[in-house]
Amino acid sequence: RFNMKQQRSYLFLAPGFEEIEALATVDVLRRAGMEVCTVAVNNGSISVKGAHGVSVEADILDSDADFSDAEWLICPGGMPGATNLAESPVVTNALKEQFSRGGKIAAICASPAIVLEPLGILAGKSATCYPGMEGYIKSADTVNTPVVAHDSLITGNGPASTIGFALAIVRNSMGEDVAKETGTAMLFYPDTSKFYF
């Protein structure tokens, strides 16, 4: 059903990542037919332990990744996962380059505030983040809603919003029909008028 050449997207996994936000996003995107690769940001170890002790084996190491043709770069939240992403030169350089070429970026929970804001990626836009972290965001209008979707920037507020966050990425890349088909097959029926900004 897809007649386009699928670009690869990348989701970063650093120690302390929020497991639901990372794994459910990968799951939903793959269900929709998108190619998404998980990247270990973990000092050369492919196995990364999440915030709640769940260890995940990433697809590739950050040192082996080439983000030059990425469709999406995706940052799950979690603490200290978001801080570890923000402190990774590989991640921050990839995000800055993606942003400078108008590429697509998605972040959820703590990551909009901790990872994207310091890089100037949120400037002049509206965004959401984990409640209580809005104070870190000075350059954007923070919105109290589960998901905020722009053409090349999608933010989400936390674990319970992950499927909606992921479906917003699917909607952007694959279209409304694929997003609805994917969500319906998962028994996910959001009232989109309330869910998205």
Side-chain angles (χ1 to χ4, degrees), residues 34-192:
M34 292 178 66
E35 184 180 348
V36 56
C37 179
T38 57
V39 182
V41 182
N42 192 24
N43 295 319
S45 173
I46 202 82
S47 179
V48 190
K49 187 177 282 191
H52 303 96
V54 180
S55 292
V56 174
E57 187 170 299
D59 296 315
I60 59 172
L61 296 170
D62 55 0
S63 55
D64 296 331
D66 175 7
F67 304 111
S68 60
D69 63 345
E71 180 178 18
W72 289 93
L73 294 182
I74 305 167
C75 298
M79 292 298 276
T83 301
N84 287 328
L85 292 180
E87 292 177 351
S88 163
V90 172
V91 172
T92 56
N93 288 334
L95 288 167
K96 286 189 284 190
E97 289 171 13
Q98 180 83 343
F99 179 65
S100 69
R101 64 174 169 258
K104 299 174 182 180
I105 295 169
I108 187 167
C109 194
S111 282
I114 302 299
V115 184
L116 302 190
E117 169 67 15
L119 301 176
I121 291 169
L122 303 182
K125 299 211 168 65
S126 52
T128 191
C129 65
Y130 193 78
M133 304 204 80
E134 299 89 350
Y136 290 95
I137 298 177
K138 308 295 186 190
S139 69
D141 293 324
T142 53
V143 184
N144 181 22
T145 194
V147 179
V148 177
H150 297 288
D151 287 342
S152 58
L153 175 69
I154 294 175
T155 53
N157 69 356
S161 304
T162 303
I163 294 176
F165 169 77
L167 288 172
I169 296 171
V170 171
R171 177 184 284 106
N172 181 296
S173 291
M174 310 295 285
E176 180 71 27
D177 289 348
V178 175
K180 280 187 174 174
E181 181 182 326
T182 304
T184 299
M186 297 176 71
L187 309 184
F188 185 77
Y189 309 103
D191 176 348
T192 55

